[in-house]
Amino acid sequence: MNNFIKGAIYAVLSSIGYGIMPIFTVKAYEYGVTVYTLLFLRFGLSSIIFFLFFLVKGTNIRIGKHEVKNLFILGGILFTLLSIFHFESLKYISSSMAVLLLYCFPLLVCIISYFLYKEKLSIGSILALVATFISMIYLLGVSLDKMNVYGIVLSLLAALIFAIYMIVGKRVTINNSPVIISAYTALFATFGVFIIGVVKQDISLNFNNQAWIHIISIVIFSTIFAEITFFKSLELLSSSNVSMISMVEPVFTTLFALVFLNERLQFSQLTGGMFVLISLVVLVYSQNKSIKKPAINRTLIQNEHI
């Protein structure tokens, strides 16, 4: 199994972790948890678990000043703003529209990566990306009625921040392990969310105790597990490839909503979900094939000199 396939598996596992988060979030809101309270507990508890693990294992968690700066940008600024913009957009537009607009980020990643790192995509990958986005419209059942400009702007800002977050995350994985990156990202995000939450007076522990089940689930599955596998995928793949494979996340969210929230699945959504998966299979095959070709050519050249 080559690194591309391994990276794709990690990206899909990360998408599963992130994909189930909306289910836990909806349940937590039902028990009186506010947006900033949930975000603060998510990042804060994740940080505690990470660093307790390092303490028990005797892991060296020292990082250089340059890495501290990058991780602060990653967690304290980008991850914080991404979470806030996305959750705030849900107040003004439907969740399906918010998710669809958020998943403009793979296109933004590809554009930014092309100009910064000259990362190129094959024709097959570009077609798969377009097909995936169109399929998501049917999967999410997006309605164009009652469009709110402010909500759309917030969601597009979240997509832009997500794209930058992924590109910065790729740079950080060069010198650090995915677990260390995840820990510091969660730590800095904790401070970022806490400061804004206090200013907005939106942090409170006055909620039903049953909400803790869903909060802990978000911490374990949708933060610790999802973040580690996400940065592991960035360690093996380009940011463009990870961003496109991550578009499978809404498929998992839809399936989890069907199972745990008893939401009805329309035929158009089922068809859209199938085409998303087919398009992503084409993407993985196309990118894997484009990566293998240079490797084969290098091997042939080397053999000619023997």
Side-chain angles (χ1 to χ4, degrees):
M1 185 183 296
N2 62 33
N3 283 343
F4 184 87
I5 299 299
K6 290 180 182 178
I9 291 173
Y10 280 121
V12 171
L13 289 174
S14 177
S15 297
I16 293 173
Y18 287 132
I20 199 171
M21 183 165 63
I23 312 304
F24 296 134
T25 300
V26 169
K27 293 293 186 179
Y29 287 164
E30 290 177 357
Y31 291 112
V33 182
T34 64
V35 172
Y36 285 91
T37 300
L38 182 58
L39 290 174
F40 173 67
L41 292 174
R42 175 194 178 191
F43 298 133
L45 292 176
S46 297
S47 301
I48 292 172
I49 293 172
F50 271 125
F51 286 99
L52 282 176
F53 172 78
F54 295 148
L55 181 64
V56 172
K57 299 289 286 187
T59 305
N60 182 9
I61 59 174
R62 291 181 181 179
I63 54 176
K65 292 182 180 179
H66 184 67
E67 279 77 14
V68 170
K69 182 184 74 173
N70 284 333
L71 288 170
F72 173 77
I73 293 172
L74 197 67
I77 299 177
L78 297 177
F79 208 9
T80 300
L81 290 178
L82 165 61
S83 301
I84 291 171
F85 284 147
H86 181 56
F87 279 102
E88 287 290 336
S89 70
L90 294 173
K91 296 180 181 179
Y92 305 97
I93 57 178
S94 66
S95 58
S96 57
M97 176 62 74
V99 170
L100 181 67
L101 293 175
L102 178 65
Y103 276 83
C104 289
F105 86 88
L107 177 60
L108 298 175
V109 170
C110 294
I111 293 172
I112 296 172
S113 296
Y114 175 78
F115 287 104
L116 288 181
Y117 307 113
K118 303 303 179 184
E119 290 184 9
K120 296 181 179 180
L121 295 177
S122 65
I123 297 299
S125 299
I126 295 173
L127 292 175
L129 176 61
V130 174
T132 302
F133 189 79
I134 294 173
S135 299
M136 283 176 58
I137 296 176
Y138 293 95
L139 168 68
L140 297 170
V142 175
S143 173
L144 299 179
D145 297 334
K146 299 179 181 179
M147 300 281 281
N148 184 289
V149 176
Y150 184 62
I152 291 172
V153 171
L154 285 174
S155 198
L156 289 175
L157 283 173
L160 177 60
I161 296 297
F162 204 168
I164 299 171
Y165 174 79
M166 186 161 286
I167 291 170
V168 174
K170 174 62 179 178
R171 289 172 52 190
V172 175
T173 58
I174 296 174
N175 299 317
N176 302 283
S177 76
V179 181
I180 294 291
I181 297 170
S182 301
Y184 278 102
T185 299
L187 178 63
F188 287 127
T190 302
F191 290 116
V193 169
F194 179 74
I195 292 171
I196 299 175
V198 168
V199 171
K200 294 179 71 69
Q201 298 182 339
D202 193 54
I203 295 180
S204 171
L205 297 180
N206 186 25
F207 53 79
N208 192 306
N209 288 332
Q210 293 186 52
W212 283 108
I213 298 174
H214 307 290
I215 293 171
I216 297 300
S217 296
I218 289 175
V219 169
I220 300 298
F221 298 108
S222 302
T223 306
I224 295 176
F225 173 78
E227 282 290 288
I228 291 174
T229 50
F230 169 73
F231 285 114
K232 188 64 179 177
S233 67
L234 280 177
E235 190 177 47
L236 299 169
L237 303 178
S238 69
S239 52
S240 298
N241 287 330
V242 174
S243 66
M244 289 187 288
I245 295 171
S246 296
M247 292 180 77
V248 74
E249 183 183 321
V251 176
F252 291 117
T253 300
T254 302
L255 292 176
F256 290 135
L258 175 67
V259 175
F260 297 107
L261 298 181
N262 296 319
E263 292 187 1
R264 294 182 178 179
L265 190 64
Q266 298 178 357
F267 179 75
S268 60
Q269 290 178 290
L270 180 62
T271 305
M274 289 177 61
F275 276 105
V276 168
L277 294 176
I278 292 171
S279 299
L280 288 171
V281 169
V282 172
L283 168 67
V284 171
Y285 173 78
S286 177
Q287 286 300 100
N288 188 35
K289 189 175 180 181
S290 66
I291 288 172
K292 280 184 176 180
K293 281 184 177 180
I296 293 172
N297 291 335
R298 283 195 300 270
T299 302
L300 291 173
I301 293 171
Q302 290 172 358
N303 290 337
E304 288 177 0
H305 294 285
I306 296 175

